Amino acid sequence: MINKELLTIVETIQIAKETIKMRLQGSEKIKHAKPGQFVHIKVGNEGSHMLRRPISIADVNQDQQIVTIIFKVIGSGTDHLSKCHVGDVIDGLIPCGTSYPIEQITMDKALLIGGGIGVPPLYYLAKQIKEQGVEVTSILGFQSSEHVFYQSEFAELGKCHIVTNDGTHGFQGFVTDVIDQLDPTFDYYFSCGPTPMLKAVSSKLQDRNGYISIEQRMGCGIGACYACVVPTNDGSNGFKKICKDGPVFEANEVVL
Ligand code: FES
């Protein structure tokens, strides 16, 4: 069930170029947030940036009732959010959307493929499946070295390969190039990132079991406004709402 929470900022720090990590403390209800879900955060004051921004959940500390979000400053809303301080209280709907169905699937090895601001939700996923005994390999793509974050955090959970578009850190190229080079073994893959990357990944791994998480600008965030629809891939001319039926979908379930 989605709750409207008043979340107090307990930490805010820039961890890479234009990239902010924020830790938010709320009620005990936020403990139920799962990997893949997001917080729909209201940014700004009445009359200014009134739209909410969907920001994926990067981690949850259940004991302290703290949720970690990582976001990129890409417009006035996220710019406003980035300027908030420790002690400020923000309004968030949490937890929104679907999660990676890790309780319903059995696997020994997982491949995580993240791009840019699609990397954070994979961290909470990696932590949870590692706890279940799954061997985790991560391939994380960024524009350049100054955008890289969470390399050591992922490396603590398994093999972590970084790729940058300009080659200033790790492999040069795209995450799909690294999949080719490493040819990793896995039972399921999980991917989150920009749509072109998800398209390339799901096309390359079309015969494999996997889940993708779609990043999209949203309106209501709770399935009421149809601002986030995406066509289904079953020939029915149907559609899914990314905010409610997603953001996590089975790979090839929707047309990207
Ligand atoms: Fe309103 Fe998805 S954002 S239906």
Side-chain angles (χ1 to χ4, degrees):
M1 184 183 151
I2 300 173
N3 300 293
K4 186 171 171 178
E5 285 273 336
L6 292 177
L7 301 161
T8 304
I9 299 173
V10 293
E11 183 186 20
T12 177
I13 181 172
Q14 183 171 353
I15 56 170
K17 186 174 182 186
E18 297 157 352
T19 309
I20 307 292
K21 169 182 164 185
M22 208 173 249
R23 296 174 68 236
L24 308 167
Q25 192 162 39
S27 78
E28 64 165 16
K29 291 179 186 157
I30 69 170
K31 296 198 295 194
H32 304 298
K34 295 199 167 85
Q37 293 187 298
F38 63 93
V39 195
H40 208 32
I41 294 177
K42 190 186 270 186
V43 285
N45 304 313
E46 292 288 332
S48 57
H49 314 289
M50 282 308 292
L51 273 184
R52 290 180 182 271
R53 297 288 186 276
I55 300 182
S56 55
I57 292 167
D59 202 1
V60 176
N61 182 317
Q62 303 205 343
D63 295 337
Q64 297 177 3
Q65 299 167 196
I66 290 175
V67 62
T68 301
I69 57 170
I70 295 173
F71 61 93
K72 194 160 185 180
V73 181
I74 48 172
S76 58
T78 44
D79 181 56
H80 184 275
L81 187 59
S82 73
K83 292 184 172 126
C84 291
H85 301 101
V86 170
D88 288 351
V89 175
I90 57 179
D91 170 331
L93 301 176
I94 180 174
C96 295
T98 55
S99 58
Y100 296 105
I102 52 176
E103 279 143 19
Q104 284 92 55
I105 58 178
T106 309
M107 59 186 164
D108 295 320
K109 296 183 180 188
L111 176 63
L112 277 45
I113 308 154
I117 215 61
V119 167
L122 298 179
Y123 179 65
Y124 190 30
L125 173 69
K127 276 179 75 175
Q128 297 252 308
I129 57 177
K130 166 96 174 164
E131 233 169 68
Q132 294 176 350
V134 176
E135 188 180 315
V136 177
T137 299
S138 309
I139 299 175
L140 310 177
F142 299 91
Q143 280 172 258
S144 65
S145 61
E146 59 195 355
H147 293 94
V148 175
F149 60 88
Y150 265 37
Q151 179 176 7
S152 56
E153 283 83 348
F154 275 90
E156 279 174 18
L157 302 170
K159 285 187 195 138
C160 175
H161 307 279
I162 301 291
V163 51
T164 49
N165 300 148
D166 62 5
T168 47
H169 192 79
F171 292 86
Q172 176 168 16
F174 298 97
V175 290
T176 40
D177 301 327
V178 180
I179 297 171
D180 280 338
Q181 288 179 52
L182 298 174
D183 194 21
T185 57
F186 60 92
D187 303 304
Y188 280 87
Y189 77 87
F190 302 87
S191 189
C192 185
T195 302
M197 187 204 90
L198 291 178
K199 255 185 176 173
V201 167
S202 54
S203 161
K204 177 169 285 299
L205 301 176
Q206 59 182 315
D207 300 325
R208 307 298 303 268
N209 292 317
Y211 291 88
I212 57 166
S213 178
I214 301 176
E215 296 176 348
Q216 163 112 352
R217 250 310 177 56
M218 290 176 188
C220 68
I222 54 170
C225 76
Y226 294 81
C228 65
V229 295
V230 61
T232 52
N233 201 16
D234 57 5
S236 67
N237 291 324
F239 63 84
K240 300 265 186 185
K241 295 172 182 171
I242 293 174
C243 68
K244 189 158 182 256
D245 304 315
V248 176
F249 293 98
E250 219 171 312
N252 305 314
E253 184 182 345
V254 292
V255 180
L256 294 169

